[in-house]
Amino acid sequence: MTSRITVKTLLILGASGDLTGRLLLPGLARLVSRGRADGLSLVGAGSDAWTPEQWLERIEESFADAHSQAEAYGRRELKRIRESSSYHQLDVTAEGQLAGLLAQLEGPVAIYFALPPRVSQLACEALAPGQVPAGTRLVMEKPFGSSAESARHLNKTLAALAPEDHIHRVDHFLGKATVLNILGLRFANTFLEPVWNREHIEKIEIVFDEDLALEGRARYYDGAGALRDMIQSHLLQIMALLAIEPPASVEERDLRDAVATVLRAGSIKAPYAKSTRRARYTAGSIGGRKVPDYANEDGVDAARGTETLAEVEVQIDNWRWQGVPFILRSGKALGIKRKEAVVTFRPVPHLPRGFTGVDSPNQLRIGFGPDTLQFDVDVNGPGDVLSLDRATLEAELSGSELLPYGEVLEGVLTGDPLLSVRADTAEDCWRIMEPVLKAWARDSAPLEEYAAGSDGPDSWPG
Ligand code: NDP
């Protein structure tokens, strides 16, 4: 396959970090082993005094899976990129250090800020505009800021360093195939668009329930919580794709314009005790695995009151969606893993007398990873023709041969910002969530409890 990359060097800041080892390097390996990053050089940097061997070992470990699956050509490419890679020790926040390294690298360079958010901000501030060569791509991880104000500040800092189409704000949650699956479903089927509105849809739920607990990530998660970690970023992006107006094309500009427009119409209405809910897990067990009380997990400051499960009701104030609740929910340590959007249609206005068996409205379920589609309809099943049966039409949707971070990196290396969050959208997502975060800080919605392994607090309807 011909490689279409326009970047010569990928510089990963935070080479020793969790993201780099667990997600970034394996994603890169998928790309490289499929001939989709030919000619790319890899450079790692971090504050640790690593030997070159330590860095190469890390790459080798992270490349192992892709290596075992690759054909001869892919294995040669993996070897080439590993053996030509180098590691540099530096403090990215110290003036001149990152700029000094940049000046030595063959451009164009993509700088991946796999750093704690605060360090990324300081690293960008330590760079002067003249020190970032034209063509450099800046890749920022989530969370993008911690409030509308800090996101604005970070956007301003970045805008001084590179043009917007060279800034990639990563949201790895939806891969390209998933995004295109949602758009294909919505805009390539005549029967859906006429009913895709407030007249026919009662509510849309977007759920990301994990059966994993904290898994040693207290340092990050305890300061974030479910609302910031998942809902403010990933789930709002899915909501936008389900709610956008038909774009002229599925190219970056049309699509990101449509996403920005619909998010601008979104808000969560007070009183927040009614439109939001939050809870924290207590001790329990998941699939036979014992989980301690969140408050007793290593590194947690229980007094912070961090929620591990959150649910908010977003309203989109426009003609299409007025009054339709978008319910966004995400949590950890739940009994069942669920990653889906559920569209609930309104009940039929009149069921001809004589029919029985219709007791719930039609639902369309879009599953994420693996991508699936299920449509619940009422039909004459076997037996009594007047007694209707619930049937499910199912389809498996197209997947991607790349890992999510392989797709993120391909977007960066080929200069396609389609999957990246645009500056205005990044700020708008905070605008939607900030009033809730402030209200929760004033205790205006109680922090409830649920046992790990359950499906949430008993008081929450299923
Ligand atoms: P880690 O804490 O594991 O790694 C951070 C890295 O930054 C370390 O390599 C650290 O090196 C380096 N670092 C810190 N300060 C400096 C400095 N002044 N100069 C140079 N290097 C420095 O974090 P993660 O890898 O987990 O996360 C990185 C980013 O990715 C965060 O923004 C996070 O929100 C995001 N993210 C992470 C995910 C994950 O699963 N881990 C998932 C999605 C997003 P050292 O240890 O030597 O200081």
Side-chain angles (χ1 to χ4, degrees):
M1 176 176 295
T2 332
S3 170
R4 296 170 291 122
I5 65 167
T6 55
V7 162
K8 205 70 204 150
T9 305
L10 173 64
L11 167 60
I12 300 182
L13 306 178
S16 65
D18 178 66
L19 178 80
T20 300
R22 219 161 40 77
L23 299 169
L24 267 185
L25 291 176
L28 177 67
R30 281 282 174 108
L31 271 184
V32 171
S33 65
R34 283 165 170 74
R36 285 156 83 160
D38 288 359
L40 182 75
S41 301
L42 172 66
V43 174
S47 50
D48 283 337
W50 268 11
T51 59
E53 290 71 33
Q54 275 176 295
W55 172 233
L56 294 189
E57 230 171 78
R58 169 149 248 221
I59 301 177
E60 193 151 20
E61 271 168 30
S62 311
F63 278 16
D65 255 6
H67 191 270
S68 65
Q69 293 162 21
E71 308 280 338
Y73 174 79
R75 284 203 291 272
R76 270 201 308 279
E77 266 301 287
L78 286 169
K79 186 164 180 276
R80 178 196 64 76
I81 204 162
R82 185 172 62 83
E83 289 182 350
S84 62
S85 185
S86 58
Y87 177 82
H88 301 257
Q89 184 189 6
L90 77 172
D91 176 358
V92 292
T93 64
E95 222 166 284
Q97 294 203 13
L98 177 54
L101 174 59
L102 265 183
Q104 296 169 36
L105 301 179
E106 185 182 1
V109 178
I111 311 176
Y112 204 114
F113 292 82
L115 301 164
R118 178 84 194 116
V119 180
S120 295
Q121 168 80 45
L122 293 174
C124 293
E125 284 170 7
L127 283 170
Q131 295 170 334
V132 180
T136 304
R137 296 189 169 271
L138 306 175
V139 192
M140 309 306 294
E141 259 301 335
K142 72 151 208 188
F144 190 82
S146 54
S147 62
E149 177 52 35
S150 61
R152 242 189 320 276
H153 180 59
L154 185 50
N155 275 335
K156 225 170 137 196
T157 310
L158 292 169
L161 301 176
E164 175 60 25
D165 64 355
H166 281 54
I167 299 167
H168 298 254
R169 295 170 195 81
V170 170
D171 190 323
H172 72 282
F173 192 70
L174 287 190
K176 196 166 185 169
T178 308
V179 169
L180 296 179
N181 284 340
I182 296 176
L183 299 176
L185 170 72
R186 281 200 55 199
F187 301 123
N189 294 290
T190 0
F191 75 96
L192 266 185
E193 182 55 18
V195 297
W196 206 259
N197 54 48
R198 63 191 301 273
E199 299 297 326
H200 299 279
I201 290 179
E202 195 166 86
K203 62 177 174 183
I204 295 187
E205 293 155 282
I206 301 166
V207 179
F208 186 89
D209 281 355
E210 288 182 84
D211 57 359
L212 294 176
L214 198 53
E215 312 296 317
R217 296 202 64 216
R219 193 158 67 138
Y220 159 71
Y221 192 85
D222 199 43
L227 189 76
R228 283 191 184 86
D229 183 44
M230 293 299 303
I231 297 179
Q232 187 274 341
S233 48
H234 307 314
L235 301 201
L236 276 181
Q237 294 301 315
I238 299 178
M239 183 194 84
L241 292 172
L242 290 169
I244 54 169
E245 294 305 313
S249 76
V250 290
E251 282 160 17
E252 170 270 313
R253 183 167 161 211
D254 289 329
L255 190 58
R256 297 204 301 175
D257 278 351
V259 164
T261 304
V262 81
L263 284 173
R264 275 204 295 278
S267 67
I268 298 169
K269 308 271 192 255
Y272 300 111
K274 201 160 158 263
S275 56
T276 72
R277 298 195 280 202
R278 58 179 173 151
R280 186 164 80 173
Y281 67 79
T282 55
S285 89
I286 306 173
R289 196 166 34 93
K290 283 210 173 329
V291 175
D293 192 317
Y294 178 80
N296 295 331
E297 294 261 25
D298 276 351
V300 163
D301 174 3
R304 262 199 187 126
T306 300
E307 80 287 353
T308 58
L309 173 63
E311 189 178 287
V312 300
E313 186 179 310
V314 182
Q315 298 289 338
I316 298 179
D317 294 318
N318 64 17
W319 272 48
R320 187 189 285 267
W321 296 116
Q322 195 63 43
V324 178
F326 285 77
I327 298 160
L328 277 45
R329 160 186 161 127
S330 181
K332 282 192 181 294
L334 290 151
I336 297 174
K337 205 163 134 183
R338 258 178 91 198
K339 208 169 160 188
E340 62 177 2
V342 183
V343 180
T344 302
F345 290 87
R346 294 194 187 282
V348 288
H350 170 71
L351 186 68
R353 273 193 303 280
F355 275 131
T356 59
V358 177
D359 41 28
S360 50
N362 297 128
Q363 283 190 324
L364 177 65
R365 294 173 181 275
I366 305 169
F368 304 118
D371 291 358
T372 55
L373 199 63
Q374 295 187 323
F375 201 6
D376 294 339
V377 292
D378 291 300
V379 292
N380 289 327
D384 181 357
V385 291
L386 286 174
S387 167
L388 298 173
D389 297 308
R390 182 49 53 112
T392 302
L393 312 177
E394 292 185 65
E396 247 178 61
L397 306 180
S398 146
S400 164
E401 59 168 4
L402 299 178
L403 295 169
Y405 270 89
E407 291 200 326
V408 165
L409 286 171
E410 187 163 57
V412 171
L413 300 178
T414 58
D416 177 7
L418 181 78
L419 295 181
S420 133
V421 178
R422 207 167 67 185
D424 53 344
T425 298
E427 290 175 26
D428 230 27
C429 289
W430 282 116
R431 188 223 9 107
I432 295 172
M433 291 301 161
E434 217 162 42
V436 177
L437 290 166
K438 285 187 178 155
W440 285 3
R442 295 191 305 269
D443 269 343
S444 53
L447 180 64
E448 298 179 62
E449 290 187 341
Y450 61 101
S454 69
D455 59 2
D458 294 337
S459 59
W460 294 20

